[in-house]
Amino acid sequence: MPEVRVDPLTGLRTIIAARRAGRPGGWAISGDPAPIDPERDPFAPGHEDQTPPEIYAVRPGGSAANTPGWSVRVVPNLYPALTRDEAEPEPSHDPDLFTAVAAYGSHEVIVNAPDAVTSLADLRPEQVAAAMEVWRTRMATHADAGAACVHVLVNERTEGGASLAHTHAQLYAMDFVPAQIARERERFTAHATRTMGGNLLQDLVQDEVRLRDRVVAIDDEAVVLSPFAARLPYQLLLAPRRPRRHFEDDGPLGAALLHDVLNRLRRHLGFMPPLNLWVRTAPLGADQFCWRIDVVPRLTHLAGLELGTGVHLNIVAPEQAAAQLRDA
């Protein structure tokens, strides 16, 4: 029977209605992406002049900046959503109704590897770990510079919002805390107050591991769950075994387990789905928090219910998704 579930981390509601999976058009996406054309790939080694000059790179052989020889490379976004030099917009005639300020911050692209592949799952585990170490380094740089919120994301395939196929991450360093992240910060604080210091995500993971129903995989560094109120089919949550507020702090990042579960998705579905992945780290003012990574495959369309109400409809029960991915 359909259920309405509340996500303990966000407070958002999801309708779990597995029997809708059989309706016509229930699955919108299937099949692998087209291969990358190496001649048109601006992130390919040898094409460094097709991007803005790099601001950071890992170069094991000591090669010169903006030349081949890198393993992970960071450049400013060619079409930035946030910049450091935007002029303030003209004041509104009624600021109570119409508020606008300059889109101040930084917007970077992190090329995860020189390999011409579309997914983190196509890389070797050690390459995923190397990319995540650079995510951490760049996040720390912007946090130390005073950013209120640093958001790292990976969009894979056109259906997941990627304009370039070559695997890459984007970093947004914002001078404000977005409302959804502020709400999560408040829920962590409220849980700590209610439980005399408990960590919301740590307590959630401990209960999930005890129950086992929604656990996909565990290793020494991290746990992967199919969340209780997953918004979309096969949504995953990776959390560290030992809670830390910031992803950018020293400690394990769960790279091997992330690589593992992405390939479990591929094996179960028979193809690598479009997806969105993001790192949630403690924003400004979050004394109680724990970082995590959310992975959201894009196998179904968002429609009027999701866009009009903020309530998602998930046609695969998280318990079913976890069982299938454990078996993959």
Side-chain angles (χ1 to χ4, degrees), residues 27 49 56 83 87 147 151 166 176 190 201 208 233 238 258 262 312:
W27 297 98
D49 61 343
Y56 183 89
T83 68
H151 186 63
H166 189 129
F176 64 94
L201 185 53
E208 291 284 19
L238 183 150
L258 178 61
L262 291 176
H312 280 67

Side-chain angles (χ1 to χ4, degrees), residues 143-216:
D144 291 345
C149 181
V150 184
H151 186 63
V152 165
L153 62 91
V154 175
N155 297 331
E156 295 191 353
R157 299 183 52 173
T158 303
E159 300 91 338
S163 55
L164 293 171
H166 189 129
T167 179
H168 65 283
Q170 296 183 65
L171 181 150
Y172 290 81
M174 296 171 273
D175 67 349
F176 64 94
V177 180
Q180 179 170 322
I181 300 175
R183 184 176 185 177
E184 293 177 21
R185 179 181 61 189
E186 292 165 5
R187 292 181 73 85
F188 270 88
T189 301
H191 180 84
T193 301
R194 195 167 55 246
T195 59
M196 302 294 289
N199 184 283
L200 176 56
L201 185 53
Q202 181 185 31
D203 291 350
L204 172 63
V205 167
Q206 286 178 344
D207 257 21
E208 291 284 19
V209 170
R210 179 177 57 83
L211 295 169
R212 296 282 174 172
D213 293 343
R214 288 176 290 273
V215 173
V216 175

